Amino acid sequence: MKYDVHTVKRAIAGDKEAFEQLLYSEEEKLYYTALSYTVQKEDALDAIQEAVCKAYLSIKQLKQPDFFSTWLIRILIHECYRLLNKRQRMIPFEEEELLKKLEHHTDEINHSTELTEMLSQLNPSYQTALILFYYRDLPIKQISEVMEKPVGTIKTYLHRGKKQLREEMERRADCREQVI
């Protein structure tokens, strides 16, 4: 956490400069989170702009200043999904980094678009859990706060999402071997 609770409390009380300080401390996290969902720089910036506007208008509703970052990321993720649904795009990922962390399977995926396609076929809850855990390196407890789900549910999402990805990777590897 790059900010102090006192700054958050000042922002909740209506201090615009305090809110701005909080945004500066979170800007890199916001940008890379939005970019991991939208892939396009312009779309990421649009999602951030909307999320910041909504956060500014509703900061007085924030009950626990300690969770400012989690609250802001949750708003941003909702904005990314709204933007993607509006533009009818699939959610892209940093394929290589996610693959390195999912190294339970030895076969490499030949085309990076294959992983994007496989991930886009997952349940949106599994997608979000996998992105936040493997790409953003968030702990399971924080993911449960962002997604507003119990820790056990997040563990289930991660387990099922990885299992489905692994099965699809194996299926595609088997198909390639049959062709050769």
Side-chain angles (χ1 to χ4, degrees):
M1 172 167 41
K2 298 177 188 173
Y3 56 87
D4 63 70
V5 176
H6 177 68
T7 307
V8 178
K9 288 179 180 177
R10 286 186 12 234
I12 291 171
D15 185 339
K16 293 176 185 177
E17 289 179 14
F19 185 77
E20 195 173 311
Q21 288 175 2
L22 293 170
L23 291 179
Y24 282 128
S25 68
E26 296 289 316
E27 70 181 327
E28 189 172 319
K29 186 191 304 184
L30 290 172
Y31 179 72
Y32 287 113
T33 298
L35 195 60
S36 71
Y37 280 89
T38 63
V39 155
Q40 303 290 328
K41 178 182 176 182
E42 295 78 17
D43 290 343
L45 294 174
D46 286 347
I48 291 168
Q49 184 176 6
E50 287 297 317
V52 166
C53 184
K54 286 183 179 181
Y56 181 75
L57 293 173
S58 63
I59 192 155
K60 292 182 182 189
Q61 297 172 6
L62 179 61
K63 303 287 187 238
Q64 296 178 307
D66 293 340
F67 296 112
F68 173 78
S69 180
T70 302
W71 174 76
L72 187 59
I73 292 293
R74 184 181 313 135
I75 293 171
L76 178 62
I77 290 170
H78 288 296
E79 277 307 307
C80 289
Y81 276 123
R82 188 193 60 73
L83 181 73
L84 290 168
N85 285 336
K86 182 178 175 184
R87 298 196 177 151
Q88 298 179 349
R89 293 185 183 169
M90 69 173 130
I91 298 174
F93 302 87
E94 293 290 330
E95 293 88 3
E96 290 180 28
E97 188 169 331
L98 185 58
L99 270 177
K100 288 177 188 173
K101 294 181 179 184
L102 291 173
E103 287 278 325
H104 300 348
H105 192 273
T106 56
D107 294 334
E108 285 186 36
I109 294 184
N110 292 331
H111 305 290
S112 63
T113 56
E114 280 186 278
L115 181 59
T116 301
E117 181 184 321
M118 286 186 282
L119 288 167
S120 71
Q121 294 172 2
L122 293 177
N123 174 313
S125 297
Y126 299 172
Q127 290 174 356
T128 298
L130 287 169
I131 288 173
L132 294 176
F133 188 76
Y134 289 104
Y135 179 71
R136 297 302 307 150
D137 292 325
L138 292 181
I140 291 174
K141 186 175 188 318
Q142 192 170 3
I143 295 170
S144 78
E145 293 165 1
V146 169
M147 294 181 70
E148 299 177 326
K149 300 284 183 189
V151 170
T153 302
I154 300 305
K155 289 178 180 179
T156 301
Y157 288 168
L158 290 170
H159 176 76
R160 289 179 182 170
K162 288 189 297 188
K163 182 180 177 188
Q164 286 180 8
L165 282 176
R166 203 174 306 118
E167 289 170 355
E168 184 62 19
M169 286 177 190
E170 290 170 356
R171 187 189 68 73
R172 289 180 185 218
D174 289 344
C175 288
R176 277 196 220 69
E177 288 174 7
Q178 290 175 0
V179 171
I180 296 175

